[in-house]
Amino acid sequence: MIEREVKLKLKSPSLEELEKLLERRSVKLDEEVQEDIYFNYKYRDFKDSDEAVRLRKSNNEYELTYKGPKTGNYGKSREEITVRISEKDVQNINIIMERIGLYKAFTVKKTRKNFKIDSYIISLDRVEGLGDFVEVEGQDVTESQLKDFFQKFIDDFQIKGEVTNISYLELLLRGYDKSK
Amino acid sequence: MIEREVKLKLKSPSLEELEKLLERRSVKLDEEVQEDIYFNYKYRDFKDSDEAVRLRKSNNEYELTYKGPKTGNYGKSREEITVRISEKDVQNINIIMERIGLYKAFTVKKTRKNFKIDSYIISLDRVEGLGDFVEVEGQDVTESQLKDFFQKFIDDFQIKGEVTNISYLELLLRGYDKSK
């Protein structure tokens, strides 16, 4: 699957205010508490190759995801391949990955509230150590469709902020590097 | 988990005769049609490192297994770590493995009939291209306990054959190499 998304560091309104607006003007989906363990690789630095391997705990479900290098000019598009892991197998998938040279590099924790408008998923993310973000993900849409929808969405909801295509992991690593 | 097993290439009686004997004198468990895809690794030749990564289809269930190098003097003991994969995720786990450098090297197909005596699992294996084998696996037993049980088992059932600690994969690869 190709995931196509655009992300904005939220300045205004506040995440809580935007949530109230979305509750009135969109379809509310689920709320998730996500804990993402990102792996790096003994044989290939994922920071250089722009890949990611992630074990996500979302509420009480687990999934292993591979993300390919980013492509496209607007927002962020990348191959994303996911396999569900049962809770009893989480320890074992960690061991298998370790045996083939993947090691835990960083953990990203966030709360995510999902809404839907047309075929787009709007996620309100509060990320530990980074702050509040809005992500808009298109399902089987072109870059320009996503761009048009996103522009209309931030105009309608009077959202201000900074668009970024840098992942939470990379943003956290940059902050982490700075603090050294 | 450490798997401790001993395997014998069956000469006599025939697999069918031994099956009839076991049906009378043990607890019959399940029958499986297994198709094992073995991977090799771009970064580390598993033939040299004596490891294995296997995706097994057993009846209609799938599991991913890592096997560590063999240890011990009698039979075969090795670390074995398994994660269940749902049918809908099989294609995705294959893609993830390919992305991190694991490629499909060989497929081993067999039928397996399982029986239980005390805490030991007896498997009657008919392996495509290799013939008939008997495997005895001990659950949490020492090497000498397994050895004693196995000796008593082949005496009781008047089994003749050749004990080997070479995996089906390696046996098939040797035959494959010879045919070149």
Side-chain angles (χ1 to χ4, degrees):
Chain A
M1 185 185 106
I2 301 294
E3 186 193 69
R4 198 183 296 280
E5 67 179 34
V6 56
K7 183 168 70 191
L8 177 140
K9 174 88 162 87
L10 187 64
K11 284 186 185 145
S12 69
S14 72
L15 202 71
E16 287 77 7
E17 287 169 317
L18 183 53
E19 188 184 342
K20 281 179 197 156
L21 291 172
L22 278 162
E23 280 176 349
R24 288 205 298 272
R25 297 176 53 194
S26 75
V27 179
K28 187 163 190 187
L29 304 173
D30 51 346
E31 293 190 19
E32 298 167 296
V33 178
Q34 295 182 341
E35 193 171 322
D36 295 338
I37 297 169
Y38 283 90
F39 291 80
N40 209 336
Y41 198 20
K42 186 179 165 185
Y43 299 107
R44 197 158 83 219
D45 191 330
F46 286 158
K47 213 171 162 186
D48 297 336
S49 65
D50 191 25
E51 296 166 281
V53 172
R54 180 188 73 195
L55 185 67
R56 168 168 286 177
K57 181 183 183 187
S58 184
N59 297 339
N60 281 308
E61 304 195 336
Y62 295 84
E63 56 184 36
L64 178 70
T65 298
Y66 167 85
K67 294 184 176 207
K70 288 184 273 294
T71 59
N73 303 309
Y74 177 75
K76 197 169 66 174
S77 300
R78 55 198 313 185
E79 183 187 41
E80 188 167 321
I81 310 289
T82 291
V83 171
R84 176 80 180 277
I85 304 293
S86 74
E87 189 166 2
K88 76 171 181 52
D89 285 341
V90 169
Q91 200 189 342
N92 282 356
I93 194 73
N94 275 306
I95 298 172
I96 290 178
M97 291 203 287
E98 194 184 306
R99 293 290 183 274
I100 56 178
L102 292 145
Y103 58 91
K104 290 178 186 176
F106 215 85
T107 301
V108 179
K109 295 180 187 176
K110 65 171 172 294
T111 57
R112 165 167 282 183
K113 296 180 180 177
N114 295 310
F115 302 83
K116 192 169 187 179
I117 296 177
D118 301 336
S119 64
Y120 296 87
I121 306 293
I122 320 290
S123 301
L124 303 189
D125 289 350
R126 176 155 283 167
V127 187
E128 265 190 40
L130 285 183
D132 296 339
F133 293 80
V134 182
E135 267 196 11
V136 177
E137 190 184 315
Q139 313 263 342
D140 295 319
V141 295
T142 64
E143 237 176 57
S144 79
Q145 285 172 324
L146 176 62
K147 192 172 180 173
D148 291 347
F149 174 83
F150 184 74
Q151 194 56 53
K152 190 172 173 298
F153 168 69
I154 61 169
D155 289 347
D156 282 358
F157 287 80
Q158 298 182 289
I159 294 168
K160 289 193 170 54
E162 193 186 342
V163 170
T164 176
N165 68 357
I166 304 170
S167 70
Y168 294 138
L169 174 64
E170 288 167 292
L171 287 169
L172 278 165
L173 288 172
R174 287 178 190 190
Y176 184 77
D177 285 345
K178 271 183 211 155
S179 71
K180 274 186 193 169
Chain B
M1 184 185 107
I2 300 295
E3 186 193 67
R4 198 183 295 280
E5 66 180 34
V6 56
K7 183 168 71 194
L8 176 140
K9 174 89 162 88
L10 187 63
K11 284 185 184 145
S12 69
S14 73
L15 203 71
E16 287 77 6
E17 287 170 315
L18 183 53
E19 188 184 340
K20 281 180 195 154
L21 291 172
L22 278 162
E23 279 176 348
R24 286 205 300 272
R25 297 174 55 195
S26 75
V27 178
K28 187 164 190 187
L29 303 174
D30 51 346
E31 292 189 21
E32 298 166 294
V33 178
Q34 295 182 341
E35 193 171 322
D36 295 338
I37 297 170
Y38 283 91
F39 292 80
N40 208 336
Y41 198 20
K42 186 178 165 186
Y43 300 107
R44 197 158 83 218
D45 191 332
F46 286 159
K47 213 172 161 185
D48 297 335
S49 64
D50 191 24
E51 296 166 280
V53 172
R54 180 188 73 195
L55 185 67
R56 167 168 287 177
K57 181 183 183 187
S58 184
N59 297 338
N60 281 307
E61 303 196 334
Y62 295 84
E63 56 183 38
L64 177 71
T65 297
Y66 167 87
K67 294 184 178 208
K70 289 184 274 293
T71 59
N73 301 310
Y74 176 75
K76 197 168 68 174
S77 301
R78 57 199 310 187
E79 183 188 42
E80 189 168 319
I81 310 289
T82 291
V83 171
R84 175 81 179 278
I85 305 292
S86 74
E87 190 165 1
K88 76 170 180 55
D89 285 341
V90 169
Q91 201 190 340
N92 282 355
I93 194 73
N94 274 306
I95 298 173
I96 292 178
M97 291 203 286
E98 195 183 304
R99 293 291 183 276
I100 56 177
L102 292 145
Y103 58 92
K104 291 177 186 177
F106 215 84
T107 301
V108 179
K109 293 178 186 179
K110 64 172 174 293
T111 57
R112 165 167 282 184
K113 296 180 179 178
N114 294 309
F115 301 85
K116 193 169 188 181
I117 296 177
D118 301 337
S119 64
Y120 296 88
I121 306 292
I122 320 290
S123 301
L124 303 189
D125 289 349
R126 176 155 284 168
V127 187
E128 265 190 40
L130 285 182
D132 296 338
F133 293 80
V134 182
E135 268 196 11
V136 177
E137 189 184 317
Q139 313 263 342
D140 295 319
V141 295
T142 64
E143 236 175 58
S144 80
Q145 285 172 324
L146 176 62
K147 192 171 182 173
D148 291 346
F149 174 83
F150 183 75
Q151 194 54 53
K152 190 170 171 300
F153 168 69
I154 61 170
D155 289 347
D156 282 357
F157 286 80
Q158 296 182 289
I159 294 168
K160 288 191 171 52
E162 191 186 341
V163 170
T164 175
N165 69 357
I166 304 171
S167 70
Y168 295 138
L169 173 65
E170 287 167 293
L171 287 168
L172 279 164
L173 288 173
R174 286 178 191 193
Y176 184 77
D177 286 343
K178 269 182 211 157
S179 71
K180 276 185 191 169

